[in-house]
Amino acid sequence: MKSEIKKICCIGAGYVGGPTMAVFAYNCPHIQINVVDINEDRIKSWNNPDLSLLPIYEPGLAAIIKKCRGKNLHFSTDIKKHIQNSDMIFISVNTPTKTKGIGKGKALDLKWIEKSARQISNYAKNNTIVVEKSTLPVRTADTIKKILESVNTKEQNPKIKRKNFTVLSNPEFLAEGSAVDNLQNPDRVLIGGDDDSSIEALKGIYLNWIKNEKILTTNLWSSELSKLTANAFLAQRISSINSISALCEATGADIKEVALAVGMDSRIGNNFISAGPGFGGSCFKKDILNLIYLCDYYGLDKVSKYWQQVIEINNWQRERITNIVVNKLFGTISDKKIAILGFAFKANTNDTRESPAILICKDLIEEGGNLRIYDPKVNSKQIEKDLSCIQNQNNLDKEIGNWKFVNSIEKASEDADGIIILTEWDEFKNINWSKISQKMRKPSWLFDTRLVSNTNEAKLFGIDVWSLGN
Ligand code: NAD
Ligand code: UDX
């Protein structure tokens, strides 16, 4: 296979494809990169001259797009053309959990992967390197290889010469909200494969900005499995600390102090042990479910049950928060106004996939609460989609409750009985409690599920406070 890559195509212009290729383009001005997608609106947004309207909010991303777009970074719906012209093709399409059929609720749905592989098989030139960027079940590279090579069967391709493909696994470890920094300074780059020159070609791209020592090469299956395992380990830490947060509340210990003390052990480390309303995001739940599915498939019942528990604690944490809010507000929130601060699954992103806010808001509305939701980056349309089937502000049924999007903390707090902080946005750290307390109905409550607000000041202005793990 080739060693020098001049043209790259990335299939999938989402949260991974967009930022990853932007950082590639920024560091490799000598490579032409085309990011393609079937979603025309998404491509239009990537091409929007107004950089505040890019489809994804990531700190630092707009500046890179400004520098590279139209030079060596292009966004297009012409999938065929860009597959045909490329030396290396990244598959960065969505791999959500299956919602029906075999493996429903656990296995990853690989239909978008299969479609991409068929497109590559049909349109790519000979000697193309195909890179799995999406997170995939272990041994998917086998399936991709089979689909790619199907073009070589006589019935499919009577005239054209045989095409050679190699498949590499190059999982992405970026976290949303810090994607640009993670891509620019990764802890490691993982490349799995069995063709040395293809591995060297991909490595050669990363070497433009990443040190050789940080690039780890393994066999295909280790690479695929490492990605699932890394996400499972990270999620497990969050379920571990969240389980202890409940014990802190019961015993008088303080979760922040416990996390600090535990994290100072260098074997444990102090990253990724912040208690909260449960992990969200598009990856953790689906990747652990996939791990569980794989364990079941290979008959590893005990291992499967072990990982299942990480998800169960996560669900429990979210339900627990709703129950606490209702109990503190005298056992009923029917017809009460509640301010929801933060809807994204974490700060510094506009992504709401699997956000704990979705389930908590749905439950509170079902309890009869009237929610006023504010998030600095998530828009009303997205919230409407996430809370679908639930009444909006025009609903007159007082038994069920409703929700309304507002554009400031102040507006959310007007006449509210409670404020719930669900995302750790910076602007929630320095709320002016003197001002906000006057807007709320008394007795007023603050529920801080992210441990970010100045609770002592809130108490000073007469607000009752519940903070997670305290
Ligand atoms: P996404 O849904 O944001 O983007 C995927 C894009 O692929 C969509 O725009 C979709 O229209 C497009 N697409 C699907 N099929 C296509 C086809 N046949 N041709 C062209 N375009 C097609 O998903 P994402 O968050 O970017 O995740 C992509 C993959 O990366 C997943 O496997 C995910 O698990 C993995 N991953 C995600 C993250 C993250 O933080 N979001 C981090 C690491 C890995
Ligand atoms: C995750 C992985 O971190 C990343 O390596 C992988 O590529 C994709 O999945 P992401 O989901 O974007 O990234 O964000 P992450 O920072 O991992 O947060 C996931 C969830 O865990 C968020 O809801 C976050 O609020 C929560 N979290 C994180 C905690 O509750 N406590 C923590 O200490 C860290």
Side-chain angles (χ1 to χ4, degrees), residues 351-439:
D351 196 352
T352 62
R353 289 178 290 179
E354 294 294 334
S355 176
I358 299 174
L359 194 91
I360 292 173
C361 287
K362 280 186 172 176
D363 285 350
L364 290 171
I365 291 170
E366 214 171 287
E367 285 287 331
N370 294 344
L371 310 186
R372 302 292 175 261
I373 305 175
Y374 167 65
D375 187 287
K377 289 289 171 196
V378 179
N379 59 39
S380 166
K381 232 170 141 186
Q382 184 58 48
I383 297 174
E384 186 148 9
K385 226 166 125 190
D386 292 329
L387 298 181
S388 58
C389 332
I390 296 210
Q391 344 293 315
N392 64 14
Q393 57 268 44
N394 299 321
N395 168 46
L396 295 174
D397 182 351
K398 296 275 188 285
E399 289 306 305
I400 302 180
N402 58 33
W403 67 274
K404 185 176 168 183
F405 179 77
V406 293
N407 57 14
S408 70
I409 301 173
E410 285 77 14
K411 287 224 172 86
S413 316
E414 272 166 22
D415 297 323
D417 292 277
I419 292 179
I420 313 178
I421 298 179
L422 290 178
T423 313
E424 72 283 20
W425 285 103
D426 271 350
E427 67 177 280
F428 304 154
K429 292 179 183 164
N430 298 307
I431 293 176
N432 181 340
W433 290 113
S434 148
K435 204 162 120 194
I436 294 298
S437 64
Q438 288 166 33
K439 295 195 172 285

XYZ file of all heavy atoms in Angstrom, residues 351-439:
720
model
N -24.034 19.380 22.605
C -24.555 18.026 22.423
C -25.429 17.639 23.616
O -25.036 17.846 24.774
C -23.357 17.061 22.308
C -23.754 15.707 21.743
O -24.959 15.448 21.585
O -22.840 14.900 21.464
N -26.571 17.062 23.336
C -27.469 16.642 24.426
C -27.692 15.133 24.424
O -28.518 14.633 25.191
C -28.850 17.323 24.297
O -29.438 16.906 23.052
C -28.746 18.826 24.330
N -26.952 14.416 23.585
C -27.221 12.976 23.480
C -27.016 12.295 24.841
O -25.988 12.474 25.467
C -26.329 12.341 22.401
C -26.756 12.765 20.991
C -25.854 12.196 19.919
N -24.534 12.797 19.933
C -23.551 12.444 19.091
N -23.761 11.507 18.186
N -22.373 13.037 19.168
N -28.025 11.565 25.281
C -28.013 10.844 26.574
C -27.764 11.770 27.764
O -27.295 11.319 28.823
C -26.951 9.717 26.574
C -27.225 8.594 25.625
C -28.466 7.770 25.953
O -28.847 7.717 27.123
O -29.048 7.208 25.014
N -28.053 13.056 27.606
C -27.827 13.976 28.721
C -28.706 13.579 29.904
O -29.901 13.306 29.727
C -28.150 15.409 28.298
O -28.005 16.261 29.402
N -28.116 13.562 31.130
C -28.954 13.240 32.294
C -30.132 14.204 32.415
O -31.177 13.853 32.963
C -28.007 13.393 33.490
C -26.671 13.751 32.962
C -26.710 13.777 31.470
N -29.971 15.426 31.859
C -31.057 16.416 31.938
C -32.325 15.906 31.264
O -33.436 16.235 31.705
C -30.603 17.722 31.283
N -32.184 15.098 30.235
C -33.384 14.660 29.498
C -34.285 13.841 30.418
O -35.476 14.136 30.584
C -32.999 13.840 28.239
C -32.168 14.708 27.289
C -34.254 13.309 27.529
C -31.608 13.949 26.088
N -33.718 12.831 31.048
C -34.526 11.951 31.891
C -35.047 12.686 33.127
O -36.220 12.553 33.498
C -33.695 10.743 32.309
C -34.542 9.626 32.882
C -34.958 8.673 31.776
C -33.762 8.876 33.950
N -34.180 13.501 33.718
C -34.595 14.223 34.928
C -35.747 15.179 34.584
O -36.754 15.239 35.281
C -33.382 14.953 35.564
C -32.403 13.901 36.122
C -33.817 15.922 36.657
C -31.075 14.432 36.632
N -35.618 15.910 33.459
C -36.688 16.841 33.067
C -37.980 16.080 32.762
O -39.066 16.494 33.173
C -36.267 17.672 31.856
S -35.049 18.920 32.277
N -37.856 14.973 32.045
C -39.066 14.209 31.712
C -39.775 13.768 32.988
O -40.998 13.877 33.105
C -38.702 12.975 30.876
C -38.481 13.300 29.399
C -38.267 12.022 28.596
C -38.242 12.333 27.108
N -37.958 11.183 26.287
N -38.998 13.275 33.958
C -39.600 12.800 35.209
C -40.244 13.947 35.981
O -41.318 13.793 36.546
C -38.538 12.109 36.086
C -38.182 10.726 35.550
O -38.893 10.244 34.640
O -37.193 10.136 36.026
N -39.577 15.101 35.991
C -40.129 16.237 36.740
C -41.416 16.734 36.088
O -42.367 17.128 36.778
C -39.094 17.378 36.811
C -37.865 17.104 37.688
C -36.823 18.199 37.508
C -38.260 17.008 39.170
N -41.450 16.710 34.763
C -42.667 17.149 34.068
C -43.809 16.174 34.375
O -44.940 16.564 34.629
C -42.407 17.275 32.550
C -41.460 18.449 32.280
C -43.717 17.473 31.784
C -40.935 18.530 30.860
N -43.459 14.901 34.392
C -44.472 13.900 34.699
C -45.027 14.096 36.119
O -46.189 13.816 36.381
C -43.873 12.508 34.560
C -44.903 11.508 34.047
C -44.234 10.207 33.719
O -43.527 10.181 32.704
O -44.411 9.246 34.483
N -44.173 14.608 36.988
C -44.604 14.879 38.362
C -45.436 16.161 38.442
O -45.861 16.564 39.529
C -43.383 15.028 39.287
C -42.697 13.731 39.629
C -43.489 12.865 40.616
O -44.240 13.413 41.431
O -43.350 11.633 40.537
N -45.597 16.872 37.322
C -46.433 18.075 37.305
C -45.668 19.387 37.337
O -46.272 20.462 37.387
N -44.339 19.333 37.309
C -43.536 20.559 37.388
C -43.590 21.395 36.110
O -43.752 20.863 35.013
N -43.490 22.724 36.292
C -43.393 23.635 35.141
C -41.942 24.078 35.019
O -41.470 24.889 35.812
C -44.266 24.876 35.353
C -45.733 24.521 35.370
O -46.101 23.433 34.945
N -46.559 25.414 35.863
N -41.239 23.531 34.042
C -39.797 23.771 33.963
C -39.473 24.986 33.101
O -40.097 25.210 32.068
C -39.084 22.545 33.395
C -39.413 21.182 34.022
C -38.503 20.099 33.444
C -39.274 21.222 35.527
N -38.476 25.735 33.547
C -37.937 26.833 32.746
C -36.489 26.452 32.479
O -35.665 26.467 33.392
C -37.994 28.164 33.526
C -39.393 28.552 33.968
C -40.264 28.919 32.750
N -41.648 29.196 33.110
C -42.645 28.320 32.997
N -42.422 27.108 32.538
N -43.873 28.650 33.301
N -36.203 26.104 31.231
C -34.888 25.516 30.943
C -33.969 26.538 30.279
O -34.331 27.169 29.291
C -35.042 24.288 30.000
C -36.030 23.278 30.619
C -33.690 23.639 29.718
C -36.365 22.093 29.729
N -32.755 26.649 30.828
C -31.759 27.538 30.220
C -30.450 26.785 30.024
O -29.968 26.104 30.933
C -31.516 28.768 31.122
C -30.290 29.541 30.693
C -30.259 30.183 29.441
C -29.148 29.593 31.495
C -29.110 30.856 29.024
C -28.012 30.267 31.084
C -27.992 30.892 29.846
O -26.861 31.539 29.417
N -29.891 26.881 28.825
C -28.538 26.360 28.563
C -27.857 27.348 27.627
O -28.457 27.792 26.642
C -28.614 24.969 27.900
C -27.226 24.333 27.777
O -26.427 24.798 26.918
O -26.936 23.395 28.542
N -26.587 27.700 27.897
C -25.919 28.703 27.058
C -25.715 28.271 25.610
O -25.557 29.119 24.734
C -24.560 28.904 27.741
C -24.584 28.158 29.011
C -25.771 27.256 29.028
N -25.701 26.983 25.302
C -25.404 26.566 23.928
C -26.455 25.649 23.291
O -26.422 25.429 22.086
C -24.051 25.832 23.875
C -22.854 26.746 24.084
C -22.620 27.663 22.899
C -21.561 28.699 23.218
N -21.544 29.828 22.288
N -27.324 25.082 24.090
C -28.347 24.191 23.500
C -29.566 25.039 23.153
O -30.008 25.849 23.968
C -28.746 23.078 24.501
C -29.814 22.180 23.900
C -27.525 22.256 24.914
N -30.114 24.844 21.937
C -31.253 25.677 21.569
C -32.590 24.967 21.843
O -32.647 23.765 22.097
C -31.142 26.156 20.119
C -31.081 24.988 19.150
O -31.773 23.983 19.330
N -30.233 25.099 18.138
N -33.635 25.782 21.763
C -34.978 25.323 22.095
C -35.430 24.151 21.220
O -36.079 23.213 21.693
C -35.898 26.520 21.922
O -37.197 26.148 21.907
N -35.021 24.217 19.945
C -35.436 23.164 18.993
C -34.903 21.792 19.442
O -35.594 20.782 19.389
C -34.827 23.496 17.623
C -35.842 23.504 16.500
C -35.192 24.076 15.291
C -35.605 23.367 14.025
N -34.845 23.858 12.890
N -33.650 21.793 19.869
C -33.026 20.542 20.312
C -33.725 20.007 21.558
O -34.002 18.806 21.664
C -31.534 20.779 20.604
C -30.765 19.529 20.979
C -30.831 18.454 19.891
O -30.615 18.739 18.719
N -31.176 17.222 20.280
N -34.053 20.914 22.484
C -34.717 20.483 23.726
C -36.093 19.905 23.383
O -36.515 18.884 23.933
C -34.817 21.660 24.727
C -33.400 22.111 25.113
C -35.616 21.267 25.967
C -33.318 23.347 25.977
N -36.760 20.565 22.448
C -38.077 20.082 22.016
C -37.978 18.650 21.487
O -38.796 17.790 21.795
C -38.613 21.008 20.937
C -40.025 20.683 20.542
C -40.811 21.926 20.120
O -40.206 23.004 19.980
O -42.029 21.779 19.940
N -36.917 18.407 20.714
C -36.705 17.064 20.162
C -36.472 16.058 21.297
O -37.041 14.970 21.316
C -35.448 17.105 19.270
C -35.633 16.430 17.934
C -34.505 16.826 17.031
C -33.786 15.639 16.471
N -32.551 16.012 15.787
N -35.634 16.468 22.252
C -35.274 15.553 23.349
C -36.437 15.283 24.289
O -36.541 14.206 24.865
C -34.100 16.129 24.157
C -32.809 16.147 23.354
O -32.633 15.269 22.499
O -31.979 17.051 23.578
N -37.300 16.297 24.457
C -38.431 16.105 25.376
C -39.697 15.782 24.599
O -40.800 16.063 25.055
C -38.643 17.365 26.232
C -37.483 17.768 27.153
C -37.843 19.011 27.944
C -37.105 16.634 28.102
N -39.537 15.209 23.428
C -40.688 14.948 22.556
C -41.742 14.148 23.314
O -41.432 13.429 24.250
C -40.250 14.184 21.321
O -39.644 12.993 21.733
N -42.952 14.271 22.924
C -44.131 13.658 23.557
C -44.504 14.411 24.822
O -45.466 14.091 25.495
C -43.992 12.194 23.962
S -42.875 11.252 23.018
N -43.685 15.407 25.177
C -44.028 16.101 26.416
C -44.536 17.492 26.062
O -44.042 18.120 25.138
C -42.797 16.166 27.329
C -42.456 14.732 27.680
C -43.067 17.019 28.549
C -41.841 14.505 28.960
N -45.507 17.934 26.811
C -46.163 19.205 26.499
C -45.178 20.382 26.574
O -44.282 20.375 27.387
C -47.289 19.508 27.497
C -47.754 18.343 28.328
C -48.437 17.312 27.482
O -49.246 17.688 26.657
N -48.107 16.061 27.645
N -45.442 21.363 25.763
C -44.657 22.585 25.874
C -45.448 23.599 26.686
O -46.440 23.264 27.335
C -44.263 23.108 24.496
C -45.474 23.498 23.694
O -46.565 23.631 24.239
N -45.286 23.673 22.413
N -45.050 24.844 26.614
C -45.635 25.853 27.493
C -47.126 26.104 27.256
O -47.791 26.695 28.085
C -44.846 27.167 27.377
C -44.755 27.733 26.000
C -43.514 27.239 25.290
O -43.198 26.065 25.350
N -42.828 28.137 24.617
N -47.619 25.669 26.084
C -49.033 25.938 25.813
C -49.962 24.926 26.473
O -51.175 25.072 26.449
C -49.281 25.907 24.297
C -48.446 26.973 23.618
O -48.304 28.060 24.159
N -47.874 26.647 22.472
N -49.349 23.915 27.060
C -50.169 22.882 27.678
C -50.958 23.436 28.858
O -50.440 24.136 29.701
C -49.243 21.762 28.150
C -49.960 20.795 29.038
O -51.064 20.373 28.710
N -49.349 20.478 30.147
N -52.230 23.088 28.904
C -53.052 23.613 29.987
C -53.339 22.546 31.041
O -53.953 22.821 32.052
C -54.377 24.149 29.415
C -54.216 25.358 28.483
C -55.542 25.735 27.855
C -53.631 26.548 29.239
N -52.854 21.329 30.793
C -53.122 20.244 31.725
C -52.197 20.361 32.942
O -51.041 19.969 32.904
C -52.898 18.901 31.007
C -53.219 17.728 31.909
O -53.432 17.956 33.106
O -53.243 16.597 31.394
N -52.687 20.894 33.998
C -51.858 21.179 35.180
C -51.332 19.906 35.853
O -50.375 19.926 36.592
C -52.647 22.008 36.196
C -53.039 23.394 35.707
C -51.902 24.382 35.945
C -52.268 25.815 35.667
N -52.373 26.181 34.267
N -51.999 18.791 35.599
C -51.570 17.548 36.239
C -50.237 17.066 35.687
O -49.457 16.422 36.360
C -52.622 16.440 36.001
C -53.913 16.641 36.755
C -53.684 16.830 38.238
O -53.041 15.967 38.837
O -54.128 17.857 38.792
N -49.999 17.342 34.397
C -48.793 16.780 33.775
C -47.596 17.717 33.833
O -46.466 17.282 33.945
C -49.082 16.354 32.322
C -50.220 15.322 32.320
C -47.843 15.745 31.679
C -50.598 14.820 30.967
N -47.807 18.997 33.796
C -46.663 19.903 33.825
C -46.186 20.242 32.423
O -46.684 19.689 31.436
N -45.272 21.157 32.329
C -44.821 21.578 31.007
C -43.397 22.140 31.089
O -42.763 22.100 32.141
C -45.787 22.606 30.415
C -45.920 23.823 31.309
O -44.971 24.213 31.981
N -47.107 24.412 31.348
N -42.903 22.649 29.975
C -41.566 23.230 29.990
C -41.515 24.398 29.014
O -42.337 24.494 28.087
C -40.502 22.200 29.605
C -40.595 21.756 28.168
C -41.388 20.754 27.694
C -39.918 22.311 27.056
N -41.243 20.644 26.340
C -40.338 21.579 25.911
C -38.990 23.334 26.894
C -39.861 21.853 24.630
C -38.511 23.616 25.618
C -38.944 22.867 24.507
N -40.551 25.262 29.252
C -40.387 26.449 28.402
C -38.902 26.746 28.327
O -38.186 26.602 29.334
C -41.123 27.592 29.101
C -41.174 28.869 28.339
C -42.025 29.833 29.157
C -41.930 31.231 28.644
N -42.687 32.155 29.476
N -38.455 27.150 27.163
C -37.051 27.525 27.000
C -36.895 29.005 27.315
O -37.682 29.825 26.840
C -36.619 27.235 25.561
C -35.199 27.612 25.268
C -34.159 26.814 25.699
C -34.899 28.777 24.568
C -32.839 27.160 25.433
C -33.586 29.128 24.298
C -32.566 28.309 24.732
N -35.915 29.354 28.130
C -35.660 30.770 28.421
C -34.191 31.071 28.149
O -33.375 30.143 28.038
C -36.008 31.130 29.889
C -37.499 31.032 30.154
C -35.233 30.247 30.856
N -33.870 32.370 28.014
C -32.492 32.639 27.601
C -31.588 33.261 28.657
O -30.562 33.849 28.334
C -32.468 33.457 26.290
C -33.241 34.739 26.461
O -33.541 35.113 27.596
N -33.577 35.391 25.360
N -31.970 33.122 29.914
C -31.049 33.581 30.969
C -31.376 32.896 32.298
O -32.482 32.367 32.478
C -31.144 35.104 31.143
O -32.391 35.426 31.712
N -30.387 32.958 33.197
C -30.582 32.381 34.544
C -31.705 33.153 35.246
O -32.555 32.576 35.917
C -29.268 32.499 35.355
C -28.124 31.767 34.642
C -29.450 31.979 36.767
C -26.753 31.956 35.282
N -31.703 34.472 35.048
C -32.703 35.321 35.711
C -34.112 34.908 35.317
O -34.980 34.726 36.151
C -32.504 36.810 35.333
C -31.329 37.481 36.012
C -29.995 37.089 35.390
O -29.993 36.506 34.284
O -28.948 37.341 36.027
N -34.308 34.754 33.989
C -35.662 34.408 33.512
C -36.084 33.048 34.050
O -37.235 32.834 34.407
C -35.677 34.393 31.979
C -35.619 35.768 31.371
C -36.632 35.875 30.223
C -36.732 37.295 29.724
N -35.727 37.608 28.707
N -35.118 32.112 34.087
C -35.447 30.764 34.562
C -35.876 30.808 36.032
O -36.699 30.017 36.477
C -34.250 29.847 34.385
N -35.325 31.763 36.786
C -35.547 31.781 38.241
C -36.828 32.490 38.671
O -37.224 32.389 39.832
C -34.383 32.490 38.934
O -33.175 32.073 38.398
N -37.468 33.216 37.759
C -38.651 34.009 38.145
C -39.728 33.119 38.758
O -40.197 32.174 38.111
C -39.212 34.741 36.918
C -38.561 36.086 36.731
C -38.843 36.693 35.364
O -39.841 36.294 34.729
O -38.028 37.547 34.947
N -40.074 33.413 39.989
C -41.128 32.688 40.739
C -40.825 31.205 40.932
O -41.730 30.420 41.247
C -42.496 32.806 40.037
C -42.965 34.246 39.976
O -42.699 34.963 40.961
O -43.544 34.635 38.959
N -39.582 30.815 40.737
C -39.254 29.388 40.860
C -39.186 28.974 42.335
O -38.708 29.724 43.179
C -37.929 29.104 40.176
N -39.654 27.755 42.595
C -39.502 27.176 43.937
C -38.137 26.523 44.078
O -37.615 26.383 45.191
C -40.575 26.114 44.179
C -41.954 26.726 44.276
O -42.302 27.206 45.361
O -42.667 26.746 43.251
N -37.605 26.099 42.945
C -36.306 25.427 42.991
C -35.489 25.702 41.740
O -36.028 25.952 40.658
N -34.160 25.681 41.929
C -33.232 25.784 40.793
C -32.416 24.496 40.804
O -31.879 24.121 41.858
C -32.279 26.986 40.970
C -33.067 28.298 40.856
C -31.137 26.937 39.951
C -32.203 29.546 41.033
N -32.325 23.831 39.663
C -31.503 22.608 39.607
C -30.364 22.823 38.608
O -30.611 23.089 37.426
C -32.337 21.381 39.145
C -33.668 21.314 39.904
C -31.539 20.098 39.344
C -34.565 20.169 39.462
N -29.150 22.701 39.086
C -27.995 22.834 38.181
C -27.654 21.439 37.659
O -27.320 20.540 38.431
C -26.781 23.462 38.894
C -27.144 24.878 39.357
C -25.554 23.475 37.970
C -26.027 25.589 40.105
N -27.761 21.272 36.333
C -27.533 19.939 35.757
C -26.293 19.867 34.864
O -25.856 18.780 34.498
C -28.769 19.495 34.952
C -30.018 19.162 35.782
C -31.189 18.777 34.879
C -29.737 18.039 36.775
N -25.762 21.022 34.457
C -24.532 21.027 33.653
C -23.559 22.030 34.297
O -23.996 23.073 34.801
C -24.814 21.461 32.195
O -25.950 20.754 31.717
C -23.636 21.194 31.278
N -22.274 21.708 34.247
C -21.295 22.515 35.001
C -20.758 23.702 34.195
O -19.551 23.985 34.207
C -20.156 21.607 35.505
C -19.168 21.082 34.455
C -19.662 19.941 33.592
O -20.882 19.734 33.478
O -18.807 19.257 32.972
N -21.633 24.437 33.501
C -21.191 25.606 32.741
C -20.548 26.634 33.677
O -21.035 26.838 34.799
C -22.382 26.258 32.025
C -22.868 25.511 30.827
C -23.979 24.712 30.754
C -22.284 25.491 29.519
N -24.121 24.199 29.481
C -23.097 24.664 28.701
C -21.168 26.093 28.942
C -22.813 24.424 27.356
C -20.891 25.856 27.599
C -21.706 25.026 26.829
N -19.518 27.309 33.182
C -18.815 28.309 33.985
C -19.762 29.352 34.576
O -19.602 29.766 35.722
C -17.759 29.033 33.132
C -16.430 28.292 33.200
O -16.311 27.373 34.041
O -15.513 28.628 32.404
N -20.752 29.782 33.774
C -21.596 30.881 34.260
C -22.477 30.476 35.448
O -23.064 31.327 36.101
C -22.417 31.527 33.148
C -23.486 30.706 32.528
C -24.274 31.520 31.480
O -25.142 32.299 31.863
O -23.992 31.331 30.271
N -22.530 29.169 35.746
C -23.308 28.755 36.923
C -22.446 28.780 38.201
O -22.926 28.530 39.285
C -23.917 27.359 36.728
C -24.790 27.232 35.494
C -24.972 26.003 34.869
C -25.421 28.345 34.963
C -25.766 25.890 33.732
C -26.220 28.248 33.824
C -26.393 27.015 33.205
N -21.147 29.049 37.997
C -20.246 29.050 39.159
C -20.355 30.342 39.961
O -20.083 30.358 41.143
C -18.788 28.857 38.694
C -18.568 27.460 38.125
C -17.151 27.248 37.634
C -17.041 25.853 37.012
N -15.863 25.678 36.183
N -20.710 31.412 39.244
C -20.727 32.718 39.918
C -22.095 33.371 39.835
O -22.219 34.532 39.474
C -19.685 33.641 39.276
C -18.304 33.072 39.447
O -17.895 32.758 40.559
N -17.594 32.894 38.339
N -23.113 32.641 40.172
C -24.461 33.211 40.130
C -24.597 34.265 41.237
O -24.108 34.068 42.355
C -25.511 32.082 40.290
C -25.462 31.161 39.062
C -26.914 32.647 40.493
C -26.366 29.960 39.117
N -25.248 35.368 40.886
C -25.478 36.429 41.869
C -26.707 36.045 42.704
O -27.849 36.321 42.344
C -25.692 37.753 41.115
C -25.902 38.902 42.074
O -26.253 38.710 43.239
N -25.681 40.114 41.572
N -26.432 35.377 43.825
C -27.543 34.819 44.614
C -28.378 35.899 45.289
O -29.559 35.678 45.584
C -27.026 33.798 45.628
C -26.549 32.547 44.929
C -25.280 32.092 44.847
C -27.355 31.618 44.191
N -25.234 30.932 44.098
C -26.501 30.626 43.686
C -28.709 31.544 43.884
C -26.949 29.566 42.898
C -29.181 30.486 43.108
C -28.303 29.517 42.626
N -27.782 37.047 45.509
C -28.559 38.137 46.113
C -29.707 38.496 45.158
O -30.863 38.605 45.549
C -27.612 39.310 46.356
O -28.261 40.507 46.226
N -29.359 38.629 43.871
C -30.350 39.007 42.862
C -31.347 37.861 42.616
O -32.557 38.063 42.575
C -29.574 39.305 41.561
C -30.282 40.226 40.615
C -29.278 40.788 39.623
C -29.670 40.402 38.214
N -28.601 40.611 37.253
N -30.797 36.662 42.462
C -31.647 35.523 42.093
C -32.623 35.173 43.223
O -33.784 34.846 42.983
C -30.771 34.302 41.723
C -29.962 34.588 40.456
C -31.600 33.033 41.546
C -30.785 34.843 39.203
N -32.159 35.293 44.476
C -33.026 34.912 45.597
C -34.290 35.778 45.623
O -35.358 35.327 46.014
C -32.271 35.018 46.920
O -31.913 36.356 47.148
N -34.146 37.035 45.168
C -35.319 37.920 45.172
C -36.340 37.549 44.100
O -37.501 37.896 44.183
C -34.870 39.360 44.941
C -34.159 39.931 46.154
C -33.426 41.204 45.837
O -33.861 41.980 45.001
N -32.316 41.424 46.507
N -35.880 36.840 43.081
C -36.799 36.464 42.003
C -37.600 35.208 42.340
O -38.653 34.962 41.787
C -36.007 36.213 40.713
C -35.341 37.451 40.183
C -34.899 37.254 38.760
C -34.412 38.541 38.161
N -35.472 39.476 37.802
